[in-house]
């Protein structure tokens, strides 16, 4: 069983819709939870990170963490075609291990005009 | 954000040869660099962690004699794939961080071994 599970998609939504992404995990020691966006043939770009449980909002993006259920989510409001990319969740056990991350497989998102 | 440059972006090599991939932090000093591998439709898998001036720490299952990592300075880490074989074909990505802050990723290197 993988430590981090993520549906690879693709997830196709019309422009303006809400994109809902999620990951589940098995390691209860994970404390930091990140969402990255990756365009084709590029390196991942950090979108948001949260510590422990709770919600965090940044513009059109909202990240939620439910440690009791080992479940994290990312919501993208008012989606745009430029949001079309692969979204990766990632997690780490320690704050000083930003690079030592466990990634999900990534969900491909397509926002159609 | 900080910039991490990876070179080359694509490389094709013959089976049995060695390939070197460079990862540079352009505007900060990276105390720690990480190397990941990503197969199609799969997640990034951490291969090794390197700290400047010391030997790299490899993840379980990663052959250290095959994937040589050198972190000779605070701005440069190299990954050398020795005696490459077709099964080593993959997308290799580095990330760099300093002092426990956010890790910044390079743009990746697509390696194809023929």
């Amino acid at each position: 069983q993988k430590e981090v599970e993520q549906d690879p998609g693709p997830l196709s939504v019309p422009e303006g819709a809400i994109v809902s992404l999620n990951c589940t995990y098995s390691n209860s020691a994970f404390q930091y939870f990140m969402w990255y966006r990756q365009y084709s043939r590029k390196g991942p770009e950090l979108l948001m990170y949260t510590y422990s449980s709770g919600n965090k909002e940044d513009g059109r993006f909202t990240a939620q963490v439910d440690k009791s259920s080992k479940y994290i989510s990312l919501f993208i409001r008012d989606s745009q075609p430029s949001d079309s990319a692969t979204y990766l969740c990632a997690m780490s056990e320690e704050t000083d291990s930003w690079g030592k991350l466990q990634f999900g497989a990534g969900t491909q998102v397509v926002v159609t005009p | 954000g900080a910039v991490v440059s990876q070179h080359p972006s694509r490389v094709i090599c013959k089976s049995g040869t060695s390939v070197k991939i460079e990862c540079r932090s352009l505007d900060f000093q990276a105390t720690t660099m990480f190397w990941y591998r990503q197969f199609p439709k799969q997640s990034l898998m951490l291969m090794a962690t390197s700290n400047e001036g010391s030997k790299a720490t490899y993840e379980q299952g990663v052959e250290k004699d095959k994937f040589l990592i050198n972190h000779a300075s605070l701005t440069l880490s190299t990954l050398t794939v020795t005696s490459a074989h077709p099964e080593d074909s993959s997308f290799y990505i580095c990330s760099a961080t300093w002092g426990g802050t956010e890790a910044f990723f390079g743009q990746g290197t697509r390696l194809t071994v023929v």
Side-chain angles (χ1 to χ4, degrees), chain A residues 2 4 8 36 38 41-47 86 88 95-106 108, chain B residues 10 34 36 38 41-46 49 57 59 91 93 95 97 100-108 110:
Chain A
K2 296 178 184 177
V4 181
Y36 286 85
Q38 184 177 24
R41 304 179 189 278
K42 301 292 184 182
E45 170 192 16
L46 181 67
L47 285 175
T86 296
L88 302 153
T95 183
D96 59 352
S97 297
W98 266 95
K100 197 176 175 83
L101 303 173
Q102 295 295 326
F103 281 87
Q108 183 185 1
Chain B
R10 300 175 66 96
F34 303 84
Y36 291 82
Q38 185 178 32
K41 305 293 186 182
Q42 296 186 28
S43 58
L44 279 76
M45 298 295 295
L46 180 66
T49 302
T57 302
E59 295 298 303
F91 193 54
I93 307 179
S95 69
T97 184
T101 61
E102 176 187 347
F104 297 92
F105 284 82
Q107 71 270 39
R110 174 76 58 189

Side-chain angles (χ1 to χ4, degrees), chain B residues 88-99:
Chain B
D88 298 323
S89 298
S90 187
F91 193 54
Y92 293 87
I93 307 179
C94 68
S95 69
T97 184
W98 78 95

Side-chain angles (χ1 to χ4, degrees), chain A:
Chain A
Q1 181 189 5
K2 296 178 184 177
E3 275 198 297
V4 181
E5 297 279 357
Q6 184 177 9
D7 188 333
L11 177 64
S12 183
V13 300
E15 183 175 358
I18 295 176
V19 176
S20 176
L21 304 165
N22 59 76
C23 290
T24 59
Y25 63 95
S26 57
N27 184 353
S28 58
F30 287 142
Q31 295 285 353
Y32 288 81
F33 304 89
M34 298 84 164
W35 285 95
Y36 286 85
R37 177 173 60 197
Q38 184 177 24
Y39 292 110
S40 181
R41 304 179 189 278
K42 301 292 184 182
E45 170 192 16
L46 181 67
L47 285 175
M48 299 188 71
Y49 79 93
T50 54
Y51 172 75
S52 193
S53 287
N55 296 354
K56 188 172 184 177
E57 188 172 317
D58 183 3
R60 297 186 295 115
F61 298 90
T62 299
Q64 294 182 349
V65 175
D66 182 349
K67 289 191 70 179
S68 63
S69 301
K70 297 189 176 67
Y71 185 91
I72 70 171
S73 302
L74 177 71
F75 300 96
I76 308 173
R77 292 183 298 279
D78 187 25
S79 58
Q80 305 296 312
S82 58
D83 293 326
S84 298
T86 296
Y87 291 80
L88 302 153
C89 63
M91 309 173 188
S92 69
E93 295 186 14
E94 308 163 27
T95 183
D96 59 352
S97 297
W98 266 95
K100 197 176 175 83
L101 303 173
Q102 295 295 326
F103 281 87
T107 299
Q108 183 185 1
V109 171
V110 178
V111 181
T112 55

Side-chain angles (χ1 to χ4, degrees), chain B residues 17-100:
Chain B
T17 61
S18 295
V19 174
K20 180 184 286 188
I21 302 170
E22 292 186 348
C23 179
R24 293 182 183 273
S25 56
L26 298 186
D27 51 4
F28 67 98
Q29 293 186 322
T31 53
T32 306
M33 288 186 171
F34 303 84
W35 286 95
Y36 291 82
R37 182 169 51 185
Q38 185 178 32
F39 291 108
K41 305 293 186 182
Q42 296 186 28
S43 58
L44 279 76
M45 298 295 295
L46 180 66
M47 299 174 66
T49 302
S50 74
N51 294 294
E52 185 265 339
S54 62
K55 291 184 178 180
T57 302
Y58 291 81
E59 295 298 303
Q60 189 174 12
V62 178
E63 300 174 60
K64 63 180 180 181
D65 293 331
K66 181 169 188 59
F67 299 100
L68 301 179
I69 293 173
N70 187 307
H71 193 163
S73 76
L74 284 171
T75 59
L76 174 65
S77 177
T78 60
L79 167 67
T80 301
V81 183
T82 62
S83 187
H85 291 283
E87 57 266 29
D88 298 323
S89 298
S90 187
F91 193 54
Y92 293 87
I93 307 179
C94 68
S95 69
T97 184
W98 78 95

